[in-house]
Coordinates of all heavy atoms in Angstrom, one line a residue:
V5 N -3.0 13.9 -6.4 CA -4.1 14.7 -6.4 C -4.2 15.4 -5.1 O -4.3 14.7 -4.0 CB -5.4 13.9 -6.6 CG1 -6.7 14.8 -6.5 CG2 -5.4 13.2 -8.0
P6 N -4.0 16.6 -4.9 CA -4.1 17.3 -3.6 C -5.5 17.5 -3.2 O -6.4 17.6 -3.9 CB -3.4 18.7 -3.9 CG -3.6 18.9 -5.3 CD -3.6 17.5 -6.0
F7 N -5.6 17.4 -1.8 CA -7.0 17.7 -1.2 C -6.7 18.3 0.2 O -5.8 17.9 0.9 CB -7.7 16.3 -1.0 CG -9.0 16.4 -0.3 CD1 -10.1 16.9 -0.9 CD2 -9.1 16.0 1.0 CE1 -11.3 17.0 -0.2 CE2 -10.3 16.1 1.8 CZ -11.4 16.6 1.1
D8 N -7.5 19.3 0.6 CA -7.4 20.0 1.9 C -8.5 19.5 2.7 O -9.7 19.5 2.3 CB -7.4 21.5 1.7 CG -6.1 22.0 1.1 OD1 -5.0 21.6 1.5 OD2 -6.2 22.8 0.1
S9 N -8.2 19.1 3.9 CA -9.2 18.5 4.9 C -9.0 19.3 6.2 O -8.0 19.6 6.6 CB -8.9 17.1 5.1 OG -9.5 16.6 6.3
K10 N -10.1 19.7 6.8 CA -10.1 20.4 8.0 C -9.5 19.5 9.1 O -8.8 20.0 10.0 CB -11.5 20.9 8.4 CG -12.0 22.1 7.6 CD -13.4 22.4 8.0 CE -13.9 23.5 7.1 NZ -15.2 24.0 7.6
K11 N -9.9 18.3 9.1 CA -9.4 17.3 10.1 C -8.0 16.9 9.9 O -7.2 16.8 10.9 CB -10.3 16.1 10.1 CG -10.0 15.1 11.2 CD -11.0 13.9 11.2 CE -10.6 12.9 12.3 NZ -11.6 11.8 12.4
Y12 N -7.5 16.7 8.6 CA -6.2 16.1 8.5 C -5.2 17.1 7.8 O -4.0 16.8 7.6 CB -6.3 14.8 7.6 CG -7.1 13.7 8.2 CD1 -8.4 13.5 7.7 CD2 -6.5 13.0 9.3 CE1 -9.1 12.4 8.4 CE2 -7.3 12.1 9.9 CZ -8.6 11.8 9.5 OH -9.3 10.7 10.0
G13 N -5.6 18.2 7.4 CA -4.8 19.2 6.8 C -4.6 18.8 5.3 O -5.5 18.3 4.6
R14 N -3.4 19.1 4.7 CA -3.1 18.9 3.4 C -2.9 17.3 3.1 O -2.1 16.7 3.7 CB -1.8 19.6 2.9 CG -1.5 19.5 1.5 CD -2.3 20.4 0.7 NE -1.8 20.6 -0.5 CZ -2.4 21.1 -1.6 NH1 -3.7 21.5 -1.4 NH2 -1.9 21.2 -2.7
V15 N -3.7 16.8 2.2 CA -3.7 15.3 1.9 C -3.3 15.3 0.4 O -3.9 15.9 -0.5 CB -5.1 14.7 2.1 CG1 -5.0 13.2 1.9 CG2 -5.5 14.8 3.6
L16 N -2.4 14.4 0.1 CA -2.0 14.1 -1.3 C -2.3 12.6 -1.6 O -2.0 11.7 -0.8 CB -0.6 14.3 -1.5 CG 0.0 15.8 -1.3 CD1 1.5 15.8 -1.4 CD2 -0.7 16.7 -2.2
F17 N -2.9 12.4 -2.8 CA -3.2 11.0 -3.2 C -2.4 10.8 -4.4 O -2.2 11.5 -5.3 CB -4.7 10.9 -3.7 CG -5.7 11.2 -2.5 CD1 -6.2 12.4 -2.2 CD2 -6.1 10.1 -1.8 CE1 -7.1 12.6 -1.2 CE2 -6.9 10.2 -0.7 CZ -7.5 11.5 -0.4
F18 N -1.7 9.6 -4.4 CA -0.9 9.1 -5.5 C -1.3 7.8 -6.0 O -1.6 6.9 -5.1 CB 0.6 9.1 -5.1 CG 1.2 10.4 -4.7 CD1 1.2 10.7 -3.3 CD2 1.8 11.3 -5.6 CE1 1.7 12.0 -3.0 CE2 2.3 12.5 -5.2 CZ 2.3 12.8 -3.9
D19 N -1.4 7.6 -7.3 CA -1.7 6.2 -7.8 C -0.4 5.7 -8.3 O 0.1 6.1 -9.4 CB -2.7 6.3 -8.9 CG -3.1 5.0 -9.5 OD1 -2.6 4.0 -9.1 OD2 -4.0 5.0 -10.3
F20 N 0.2 4.6 -7.7 CA 1.4 4.0 -8.2 C 1.2 3.0 -9.2 O 2.2 2.3 -9.7 CB 2.2 3.5 -7.0 CG 2.8 4.5 -6.1 CD1 2.2 4.7 -4.8 CD2 3.8 5.4 -6.5 CE1 2.7 5.7 -4.0 CE2 4.3 6.4 -5.7 CZ 3.7 6.5 -4.5
A21 N 0.0 2.6 -9.4 CA -0.3 1.4 -10.3 C 0.4 0.2 -9.7 O 1.0 0.3 -8.7 CB 0.0 1.7 -11.8
G22 N 0.1 -0.9 -10.3 CA 0.7 -2.2 -9.8 C 1.7 -2.8 -10.7 O 2.2 -3.9 -10.4
Q23 N 1.8 -2.3 -11.9 CA 2.7 -2.9 -12.9 C 4.1 -2.9 -12.5 O 4.6 -2.0 -11.8 CB 2.5 -2.2 -14.3 CG 1.2 -2.4 -14.9 CD 0.2 -1.4 -14.3 OE1 0.4 -0.5 -13.6 NE2 -1.1 -1.6 -14.7
E24 N 4.9 -4.0 -12.9 CA 6.3 -4.1 -12.5 C 7.1 -2.8 -12.9 O 8.0 -2.5 -12.1 CB 6.9 -5.3 -13.2 CG 8.1 -5.8 -12.8 CD 8.2 -6.3 -11.3 OE1 7.2 -6.8 -10.8 OE2 9.3 -6.0 -10.8
A25 N 6.7 -2.3 -14.0 CA 7.5 -1.1 -14.5 C 7.5 0.1 -13.4 O 8.4 0.9 -13.4 CB 7.0 -0.5 -15.8
Y26 N 6.5 0.1 -12.5 CA 6.4 1.2 -11.6 C 7.0 0.9 -10.3 O 7.1 1.8 -9.4 CB 4.9 1.5 -11.3 CG 4.3 2.1 -12.6 CD1 3.3 1.3 -13.3 CD2 4.5 3.4 -13.0 CE1 2.7 1.9 -14.4 CE2 4.0 3.9 -14.1 CZ 3.0 3.2 -14.8 OH 2.4 3.7 -16.0
H27 N 7.6 -0.3 -10.0 CA 8.1 -0.7 -8.8 C 9.4 0.1 -8.4 O 9.5 0.7 -7.3 CB 8.5 -2.2 -8.8 CG 8.8 -2.6 -7.4 ND1 10.1 -2.7 -7.0 CD2 8.0 -3.0 -6.3 CE1 10.1 -3.2 -5.7 NE2 8.9 -3.3 -5.3
G28 N 10.3 0.4 -9.4 CA 11.4 1.2 -9.1 C 11.1 2.7 -8.7 O 11.5 3.1 -7.7
P29 N 10.3 3.4 -9.5 CA 10.0 4.7 -9.2 C 9.2 4.8 -8.0 O 9.3 5.8 -7.1 CB 9.1 5.1 -10.4 CG 9.5 4.3 -11.5 CD 9.9 3.0 -10.9
H30 N 8.4 3.8 -7.6 CA 7.6 3.8 -6.4 C 8.5 3.8 -5.1 O 8.3 4.5 -4.2 CB 6.7 2.5 -6.4 CG 6.0 2.2 -5.1 ND1 6.5 1.3 -4.2 CD2 4.8 2.6 -4.7 CE1 5.7 1.2 -3.2 NE2 4.7 1.9 -3.4
Q31 N 9.6 3.0 -5.2 CA 10.5 2.8 -4.1 C 11.2 4.2 -4.0 O 11.5 4.6 -2.8 CB 11.4 1.6 -4.3 CG 10.7 0.3 -4.4 CD 9.7 0.1 -3.2 OE1 10.1 0.3 -2.0 NE2 8.5 -0.4 -3.6
A32 N 11.7 4.7 -5.0 CA 12.5 6.0 -5.0 C 11.6 7.1 -4.4 O 12.1 7.9 -3.6 CB 13.0 6.3 -6.4
F33 N 10.4 7.1 -4.8 CA 9.5 8.2 -4.3 C 9.3 8.0 -2.8 O 9.3 9.0 -2.1 CB 8.1 8.1 -5.0 CG 7.1 9.0 -4.5 CD1 7.1 10.3 -5.1 CD2 6.2 8.6 -3.6 CE1 6.0 11.2 -4.6 CE2 5.1 9.5 -3.2 CZ 5.2 10.8 -3.7
L34 N 9.1 6.8 -2.3 CA 8.9 6.6 -0.9 C 10.1 6.9 -0.1 O 10.0 7.4 1.1 CB 8.4 5.2 -0.7 CG 6.9 4.8 -1.2 CD1 6.7 3.4 -1.0 CD2 6.0 5.6 -0.4
R35 N 11.2 6.6 -0.6 CA 12.5 6.8 0.0 C 12.7 8.4 0.2 O 13.3 8.8 1.2 CB 13.7 6.3 -0.7 CG 13.8 4.8 -0.5 CD 15.1 4.2 -1.2 NE 15.0 2.8 -1.1 CZ 15.5 2.1 0.0 NH1 15.9 2.8 1.1 NH2 15.5 0.8 0.1
A36 N 12.2 9.1 -0.7 CA 12.3 10.6 -0.6 C 11.2 11.2 0.3 O 11.4 12.2 1.0 CB 12.2 11.2 -2.0
L37 N 10.1 10.5 0.4 CA 8.9 11.1 1.1 C 8.9 10.7 2.5 O 8.6 11.6 3.4 CB 7.6 10.7 0.4 CG 6.3 11.2 0.9 CD1 6.2 12.7 0.7 CD2 5.2 10.5 0.3
L38 N 9.1 9.5 2.9 CA 9.0 9.0 4.3 C 9.8 9.7 5.3 O 9.3 10.0 6.4 CB 9.3 7.5 4.4 CG 8.0 6.6 4.2 CD1 8.5 5.1 4.2 CD2 7.0 6.9 5.3
P39 N 11.0 10.1 5.1 CA 11.8 10.8 6.1 C 11.4 12.2 6.4 O 11.9 12.8 7.4 CB 13.3 10.8 5.6 CG 13.3 9.7 4.5 CD 11.9 9.7 4.0
R40 N 10.5 12.8 5.6 CA 10.0 14.2 5.9 C 9.2 14.3 7.2 O 8.4 13.4 7.4 CB 9.2 14.7 4.7 CG 10.0 14.8 3.5 CD 9.2 15.4 2.4 NE 10.0 15.7 1.2 CZ 9.5 16.4 0.2 NH1 8.3 16.8 0.1 NH2 10.3 16.6 -0.9
P41 N 9.5 15.4 7.9 CA 8.7 15.6 9.1 C 7.2 15.8 8.8 O 6.8 16.4 7.9 CB 9.3 16.8 9.7 CG 10.5 17.2 8.9 CD 10.5 16.4 7.6
G42 N 6.4 15.2 9.7 CA 5.0 15.4 9.5 C 4.3 14.6 8.5 O 3.1 14.7 8.3
V43 N 5.0 13.6 7.9 CA 4.4 12.8 6.9 C 3.9 11.5 7.5 O 4.5 10.9 8.4 CB 5.4 12.4 5.8 CG1 4.9 11.3 4.9 CG2 5.8 13.6 5.0
S44 N 2.7 11.2 7.2 CA 2.2 9.8 7.5 C 1.5 9.2 6.2 O 1.1 10.0 5.4 CB 1.1 9.9 8.7 OG -0.1 10.5 8.2
L45 N 1.7 7.9 6.1 CA 1.2 7.3 4.9 C 0.2 6.2 5.1 O 0.2 5.5 6.1 CB 2.4 6.6 4.2 CG 3.6 7.5 3.7 CD1 4.7 6.7 3.1 CD2 3.0 8.4 2.6
S46 N -0.8 6.2 4.2 CA -1.8 5.2 4.1 C -1.8 4.6 2.8 O -1.8 5.3 1.8 CB -3.2 5.7 4.5 OG -3.2 6.1 5.8
F47 N -1.6 3.3 2.7 CA -1.6 2.6 1.4 C -2.9 1.9 1.2 O -3.3 1.0 2.1 CB -0.4 1.6 1.3 CG 0.9 2.1 1.3 CD1 1.7 2.3 2.4 CD2 1.4 2.6 0.0 CE1 2.9 2.9 2.3 CE2 2.7 3.2 0.0 CZ 3.5 3.3 1.1
L48 N -3.5 2.1 0.1 CA -4.7 1.3 -0.3 C -4.2 0.4 -1.4 O -3.8 0.8 -2.5 CB -5.7 2.3 -0.8 CG -7.0 1.6 -1.3 CD1 -7.8 1.0 -0.2 CD2 -8.0 2.7 -2.0
M49 N -4.1 -0.9 -1.0 CA -3.6 -1.9 -2.0 C -4.7 -2.9 -2.5 O -5.5 -3.3 -1.7 CB -2.5 -2.7 -1.3 CG -1.3 -1.8 -0.8 SD 0.1 -2.7 -0.3 CE 0.6 -3.4 -1.9
L50 N -4.8 -3.0 -3.7 CA -5.8 -3.8 -4.4 C -5.2 -5.1 -4.8 O -4.2 -5.1 -5.5 CB -6.4 -3.1 -5.6 CG -7.5 -3.8 -6.4 CD1 -8.7 -4.0 -5.6 CD2 -7.8 -3.1 -7.7
V51 N -5.8 -6.1 -4.4 CA -5.3 -7.5 -4.8 C -6.6 -8.2 -5.4 O -7.7 -8.0 -5.1 CB -4.7 -8.3 -3.7 CG1 -3.5 -7.7 -3.2 CG2 -5.8 -8.6 -2.6
K52 N -6.3 -9.2 -6.3 CA -7.3 -10.0 -7.0 C -7.6 -11.2 -6.0 O -6.7 -12.1 -5.9 CB -6.9 -10.5 -8.3 CG -8.0 -11.2 -9.0 CD -7.6 -11.5 -10.5 CE -8.6 -12.2 -11.2 NZ -8.1 -12.7 -12.5
S53 N -8.7 -11.2 -5.3 CA -9.0 -12.2 -4.3 C -9.0 -13.6 -4.9 O -8.8 -14.5 -4.0 CB -10.4 -11.8 -3.7 OG -10.4 -10.6 -3.1
T54 N -9.3 -13.8 -6.1 CA -9.3 -15.1 -6.6 C -7.9 -15.7 -6.9 O -7.8 -16.9 -7.3 CB -10.1 -15.2 -7.9 OG1 -9.7 -14.2 -8.8 CG2 -11.6 -14.8 -7.6
D55 N -6.9 -14.8 -6.8 CA -5.5 -15.4 -7.0 C -5.2 -16.3 -5.8 O -5.8 -16.2 -4.7 CB -4.5 -14.2 -7.1 CG -4.4 -13.5 -8.4 OD1 -5.0 -14.0 -9.4 OD2 -3.9 -12.4 -8.4
P56 N -4.2 -17.2 -6.0 CA -3.8 -18.0 -4.9 C -3.2 -17.2 -3.8 O -2.6 -16.1 -4.0 CB -2.7 -18.9 -5.5 CG -2.9 -18.9 -7.0 CD -3.5 -17.5 -7.2
E57 N -3.3 -17.6 -2.6 CA -2.9 -16.9 -1.4 C -1.4 -16.6 -1.5 O -1.0 -15.6 -1.1 CB -3.2 -17.7 -0.1 CG -2.8 -17.0 1.1 CD -3.0 -17.9 2.4 OE1 -3.7 -18.9 2.3 OE2 -2.4 -17.6 3.4
S58 N -0.6 -17.6 -2.0 CA 0.8 -17.4 -2.2 C 1.1 -16.1 -3.2 O 2.1 -15.4 -2.9 CB 1.5 -18.7 -2.7 OG 0.9 -19.0 -4.0
T59 N 0.3 -16.0 -4.2 CA 0.5 -14.9 -5.1 C 0.2 -13.6 -4.4 O 0.9 -12.6 -4.5 CB -0.5 -15.1 -6.3 OG1 -0.1 -16.3 -7.0 CG2 -0.3 -13.9 -7.3
I60 N -0.9 -13.6 -3.6 CA -1.3 -12.3 -2.9 C -0.2 -12.0 -1.9 O 0.2 -10.8 -1.9 CB -2.7 -12.5 -2.2 CG1 -3.8 -12.7 -3.3 CG2 -3.0 -11.3 -1.3 CD1 -5.1 -13.1 -2.7
L61 N 0.2 -12.9 -1.2 CA 1.3 -12.6 -0.1 C 2.6 -12.1 -0.8 O 3.3 -11.3 -0.3 CB 1.5 -13.8 0.7 CG 0.4 -14.2 1.7 CD1 0.6 -15.5 2.4 CD2 0.1 -13.1 2.7
S62 N 2.9 -12.8 -2.0 CA 4.2 -12.4 -2.6 C 4.0 -11.0 -3.2 O 5.0 -10.2 -3.1 CB 4.3 -13.4 -3.8 OG 5.4 -13.0 -4.6
Q63 N 2.8 -10.6 -3.7 CA 2.6 -9.2 -4.2 C 2.7 -8.2 -3.0 O 3.3 -7.2 -3.2 CB 1.3 -9.1 -4.8 CG 1.2 -9.7 -6.2 CD -0.2 -9.9 -6.6 OE1 -1.2 -9.6 -6.0 NE2 -0.4 -10.3 -7.9
L64 N 2.1 -8.5 -1.9 CA 2.3 -7.6 -0.7 C 3.7 -7.4 -0.3 O 4.1 -6.3 0.1 CB 1.3 -8.2 0.4 CG -0.2 -8.1 0.1 CD1 -0.9 -8.8 1.3 CD2 -0.7 -6.8 -0.1
K65 N 4.4 -8.6 -0.2 CA 5.7 -8.5 0.2 C 6.6 -7.7 -0.8 O 7.4 -6.8 -0.3 CB 6.3 -10.0 0.3 CG 7.7 -10.0 0.9 CD 8.2 -11.4 1.0 CE 9.6 -11.5 1.4 NZ 10.1 -12.8 1.6
R66 N 6.3 -7.9 -2.0 CA 7.1 -7.1 -3.0 C 7.0 -5.6 -2.9 O 7.9 -4.9 -3.1 CB 6.7 -7.6 -4.4 CG 7.2 -6.8 -5.6 CD 8.1 -7.6 -6.4 NE 8.6 -6.9 -7.5 CZ 9.7 -6.3 -7.7 NH1 10.6 -6.3 -6.6 NH2 10.1 -5.7 -8.7
W67 N 5.7 -5.2 -2.7 CA 5.5 -3.7 -2.6 C 5.7 -3.2 -1.3 O 6.0 -2.0 -1.2 CB 4.1 -3.5 -3.1 CG 3.9 -3.7 -4.5 CD1 3.5 -4.8 -5.2 CD2 4.2 -2.8 -5.6 NE1 3.6 -4.6 -6.6 CE2 4.0 -3.4 -6.8 CE3 4.7 -1.5 -5.6 CZ2 4.2 -2.7 -8.0 CZ3 5.0 -0.8 -6.8 CH2 4.7 -1.5 -8.0
L68 N 5.6 -3.9 -0.1 CA 5.7 -3.3 1.2 C 7.1 -3.5 1.8 O 7.5 -2.8 2.6 CB 4.6 -3.9 2.0 CG 3.2 -3.5 1.6 CD1 2.2 -4.2 2.5 CD2 3.0 -2.0 1.7
Q69 N 7.7 -4.6 1.5 CA 9.0 -5.0 2.3 C 10.0 -3.9 2.1 O 10.7 -3.6 3.1 CB 9.6 -6.3 1.7 CG 10.9 -6.6 2.4 CD 10.9 -8.0 2.9 OE1 10.1 -8.8 2.5 NE2 11.8 -8.4 3.7
P70 N 10.2 -3.2 1.0 CA 11.2 -2.1 0.9 C 10.9 -1.0 1.8 O 11.8 -0.2 2.1 CB 11.1 -1.7 -0.6 CG 10.6 -2.8 -1.3 CD 9.6 -3.5 -0.4
L71 N 9.7 -0.8 2.4 CA 9.5 0.2 3.3 C 10.2 0.0 4.6 O 10.6 1.0 5.2 CB 8.0 0.3 3.6 CG 7.0 0.7 2.5 CD1 5.6 0.6 3.0 CD2 7.3 2.1 2.0
I72 N 10.5 -1.2 5.0 CA 11.2 -1.6 6.2 C 12.6 -0.9 6.2 O 13.1 -0.5 7.2 CB 11.2 -3.0 6.4 CG1 9.8 -3.5 6.6 CG2 12.1 -3.5 7.6 CD1 9.7 -5.1 6.6
G73 N 13.3 -1.0 5.0 CA 14.7 -0.5 5.0 C 15.0 0.9 4.7 O 16.1 1.3 4.4
I74 N 13.9 1.8 4.7 CA 14.1 3.2 4.2 C 14.8 3.9 5.4 O 14.4 3.9 6.5 CB 12.8 3.8 3.9 CG1 12.2 3.2 2.6 CG2 13.0 5.3 3.7 CD1 10.8 3.8 2.3
P75 N 16.0 4.5 5.1 CA 16.8 5.1 6.2 C 16.2 6.5 6.6 O 15.5 7.1 5.9 CB 18.1 5.3 5.6 CG 17.9 5.4 4.1 CD 16.7 4.5 3.9
N76 N 16.5 6.8 7.9 CA 16.2 8.2 8.4 C 14.7 8.5 8.6 O 14.3 9.6 8.5 CB 16.7 9.3 7.6 CG 18.2 9.2 7.4 OD1 19.0 8.8 8.4 ND2 18.8 9.4 6.2
V77 N 13.9 7.4 8.8 CA 12.4 7.6 9.0 C 12.3 7.8 10.5 O 12.7 6.9 11.3 CB 11.6 6.3 8.5 CG1 10.2 6.5 8.9 CG2 11.9 6.2 7.0
P78 N 11.6 8.9 10.8 CA 11.4 9.2 12.3 C 10.6 8.1 12.9 O 9.8 7.4 12.3 CB 10.6 10.5 12.3 CG 10.9 11.1 11.0 CD 11.1 10.0 10.0
Q79 N 10.9 7.7 14.2 CA 10.2 6.6 14.9 C 8.8 6.8 15.0 O 8.0 5.8 15.0 CB 10.8 6.5 16.3 CG 12.2 6.1 16.4 CD 12.5 4.7 15.9 OE1 11.5 3.8 16.0 NE2 13.5 4.3 15.3
N80 N 8.3 8.1 15.0 CA 6.8 8.3 15.1 C 6.0 8.2 13.9 O 4.8 8.3 13.9 CB 6.6 9.7 15.8 CG 7.0 10.8 15.0 OD1 7.9 10.6 14.1 ND2 6.6 12.0 15.4
V81 N 6.6 7.9 12.7 CA 5.9 7.8 11.4 C 5.2 6.5 11.4 O 5.7 5.4 11.7 CB 6.9 7.9 10.3 CG1 6.2 7.5 8.9 CG2 7.5 9.3 10.2
K82 N 3.9 6.6 11.2 CA 3.1 5.4 11.1 C 2.7 5.2 9.6 O 2.3 6.1 9.0 CB 1.8 5.6 11.9 CG 2.1 5.9 13.4 CD 2.3 4.6 14.0 CE 2.4 4.9 15.6 NZ 3.4 4.2 16.3
V83 N 2.8 3.9 9.2 CA 2.4 3.5 7.8 C 1.3 2.6 8.0 O 1.4 1.6 8.7 CB 3.5 2.9 7.1 CG1 3.1 2.4 5.7 CG2 4.8 3.9 6.9
K84 N 0.1 2.9 7.4 CA -1.1 2.1 7.4 C -1.4 1.5 6.1 O -1.1 2.2 5.1 CB -2.3 2.9 7.8 CG -2.2 3.6 9.3 CD -3.3 4.5 9.6 CE -3.0 5.2 10.9 NZ -3.7 6.3 11.1
V85 N -1.8 0.2 6.1 CA -2.1 -0.5 4.9 C -3.5 -1.0 4.9 O -3.9 -1.5 5.9 CB -1.2 -1.7 4.7 CG1 -1.5 -2.5 3.4 CG2 0.3 -1.3 4.7
I86 N -4.3 -0.6 3.9 CA -5.7 -1.0 3.7 C -5.6 -1.9 2.6 O -5.3 -1.5 1.4 CB -6.6 0.2 3.5 CG1 -6.5 1.2 4.7 CG2 -8.0 -0.3 3.3 CD1 -7.1 2.5 4.3
L87 N -6.0 -3.2 2.8 CA -6.0 -4.2 1.7 C -7.4 -4.3 1.2 O -8.4 -4.6 1.9 CB -5.5 -5.5 2.3 CG -5.3 -6.7 1.3 CD1 -4.3 -6.3 0.2 CD2 -4.8 -7.9 2.1
V88 N -7.6 -4.2 -0.2 CA -8.9 -4.3 -0.8 C -8.8 -5.5 -1.7 O -7.9 -5.5 -2.6 CB -9.3 -3.0 -1.6 CG1 -10.6 -3.2 -2.3 CG2 -9.3 -1.9 -0.6
G89 N -9.8 -6.3 -1.7 CA -9.8 -7.6 -2.5 C -10.9 -7.4 -3.6 O -12.0 -7.2 -3.3
S90 N -10.5 -7.5 -4.8 CA -11.4 -7.5 -5.9 C -11.9 -8.9 -6.2 O -11.3 -9.8 -5.8 CB -10.9 -6.9 -7.2 OG -9.7 -7.7 -7.7
F91 N -13.0 -9.0 -6.9 CA -13.6 -10.4 -7.3 C -14.0 -11.1 -6.1 O -14.1 -12.3 -6.1 CB -12.6 -11.2 -8.1 CG -12.2 -10.6 -9.5 CD1 -11.1 -9.7 -9.6 CD2 -12.9 -11.0 -10.6 CE1 -10.9 -9.2 -10.8 CE2 -12.6 -10.5 -11.8 CZ -11.6 -9.6 -11.9
A92 N -14.3 -10.4 -5.0 CA -14.8 -11.1 -3.8 C -16.0 -11.9 -4.0 O -16.2 -12.9 -3.2 CB -15.0 -10.1 -2.7
D93 N -16.9 -11.5 -5.0 CA -18.2 -12.3 -5.2 C -17.9 -13.7 -5.8 O -18.7 -14.5 -5.8 CB -19.0 -11.5 -6.1 CG -18.4 -11.1 -7.5 OD1 -17.1 -10.9 -7.5 OD2 -19.1 -11.2 -8.5
Q94 N -16.6 -13.9 -6.2 CA -16.3 -15.2 -6.9 C -15.5 -16.1 -5.8 O -15.1 -17.2 -6.2 CB -15.4 -14.9 -8.1 CG -16.2 -14.2 -9.1 CD -15.4 -13.9 -10.4 OE1 -14.2 -14.5 -10.6 NE2 -15.7 -12.9 -11.1
L95 N -15.4 -15.7 -4.6 CA -14.7 -16.5 -3.6 C -15.5 -17.6 -3.0 O -16.7 -17.5 -2.9 CB -14.1 -15.6 -2.5 CG -13.0 -14.6 -2.8 CD1 -12.8 -13.7 -1.6 CD2 -11.8 -15.3 -3.3
T96 N -14.7 -18.7 -2.7 CA -15.5 -19.7 -1.8 C -15.4 -19.2 -0.4 O -14.7 -18.3 0.0 CB -14.7 -21.0 -1.9 OG1 -13.4 -20.8 -1.4 CG2 -14.6 -21.6 -3.4
V97 N -16.2 -19.8 0.4 CA -16.3 -19.4 1.8 C -14.9 -19.6 2.5 O -14.4 -18.7 3.3 CB -17.4 -20.2 2.6 CG1 -17.3 -19.9 4.1 CG2 -18.8 -19.8 2.1
A98 N -14.3 -20.7 2.3 CA -13.0 -21.0 2.9 C -11.9 -19.9 2.5 O -11.2 -19.4 3.3 CB -12.5 -22.4 2.5
K99 N -11.9 -19.6 1.3 CA -10.9 -18.6 0.9 C -11.2 -17.2 1.4 O -10.3 -16.5 1.9 CB -10.8 -18.5 -0.6 CG -9.7 -17.5 -1.1 CD -8.9 -17.9 -2.3 CE -7.8 -17.0 -2.5 NZ -7.3 -17.0 -3.9
S100 N -12.4 -16.8 1.5 CA -12.7 -15.5 2.1 C -12.4 -15.4 3.5 O -12.0 -14.4 4.1 CB -14.2 -15.1 1.8 OG -15.1 -16.0 2.5
E101 N -12.5 -16.5 4.2 CA -12.1 -16.6 5.7 C -10.5 -16.4 5.8 O -10.1 -15.7 6.7 CB -12.5 -17.9 6.3 CG -14.0 -18.1 6.5 CD -14.5 -19.3 7.0 OE1 -13.6 -20.2 7.2 OE2 -15.7 -19.5 7.1
V102 N -9.8 -17.1 4.9 CA -8.4 -16.8 4.9 C -8.0 -15.4 4.6 O -7.1 -14.8 5.3 CB -7.6 -17.8 3.9 CG1 -6.2 -17.5 3.7 CG2 -7.8 -19.2 4.3
L103 N -8.5 -14.9 3.6 CA -8.3 -13.4 3.3 C -8.7 -12.5 4.5 O -8.0 -11.5 4.7 CB -8.9 -13.0 2.0 CG -8.2 -13.7 0.8 CD1 -9.1 -13.3 -0.5 CD2 -6.8 -13.3 0.6
T104 N -9.7 -12.8 5.1 CA -10.1 -12.0 6.3 C -9.1 -12.0 7.3 O -8.8 -11.0 8.0 CB -11.4 -12.5 6.9 OG1 -12.4 -12.4 5.8 CG2 -11.9 -11.5 8.0
M105 N -8.3 -13.1 7.5 CA -7.3 -13.1 8.6 C -6.0 -12.4 8.2 O -5.3 -12.0 9.0 CB -6.9 -14.6 8.8 CG -8.0 -15.4 9.5 SD -7.5 -17.1 9.8 CE -7.3 -17.9 8.2
L106 N -5.8 -12.1 6.9 CA -4.7 -11.3 6.5 C -4.8 -9.9 7.1 O -4.0 -9.2 7.4 CB -4.6 -11.2 5.0 CG -4.2 -12.5 4.3 CD1 -4.2 -12.2 2.8 CD2 -2.8 -12.9 4.7

């Protein structure tokens, strides 16, 4: 979804979904997009907060780790990740404190 911003210029929004079937196309898309000049990326990642911490970390690693190995990415490209937890109202205090530390 394209959006024009006075502050940021041309902004594009993409929904990659989280299903396994989208993992391959997601990686190919990022490999094509990241090396372009003037590109910066922000990822909004949704996790189910009630899942075990190991599951959440595994999901994050699965989707983000391939970004590390993308060739020809300029040094000044910044990738930001915003982690959003769903079902937060169902968390215990101890688990919400752990997720806050992520």
Side-chain angles (χ1 to χ4, degrees):
V5 177
F7 176 75
D8 288 311
S9 164
K10 289 181 183 179
K11 184 174 181 179
Y12 299 106
R14 184 79 165 163
V15 179
L16 299 174
F17 295 93
F18 298 94
D19 181 358
F20 289 111
Q23 291 82 7
E24 189 65 30
Y26 294 108
H27 192 263
H30 171 265
Q31 300 308 313
F33 178 82
L34 290 174
R35 287 184 181 279
L37 186 64
L38 266 178
R40 291 186 174 187
V43 169
S44 71
L45 294 175
S46 295
F47 290 97
L48 180 66
M49 300 189 70
L50 179 66
V51 296
K52 187 175 179 184
S53 299
T54 55
D55 281 348
E57 181 181 346
S58 60
T59 300
I60 294 170
L61 292 173
S62 175
Q63 291 169 348
L64 293 175
K65 182 178 179 182
R66 171 111 173 102
W67 288 94
L68 295 175
Q69 181 137 13
L71 294 177
I72 296 169
I74 294 177
N76 303 320
V77 177
Q79 292 292 331
N80 61 344
V81 170
K82 302 280 188 219
V83 177
K84 298 175 185 158
V85 177
I86 301 166
L87 185 61
V88 177
S90 64
F91 295 87
D93 60 323
Q94 297 177 19
L95 291 175
T96 63
V97 174
K99 181 143 187 198
S100 65
E101 289 172 1
V102 168
L103 289 174
T104 302
M105 291 186 291
L106 291 176

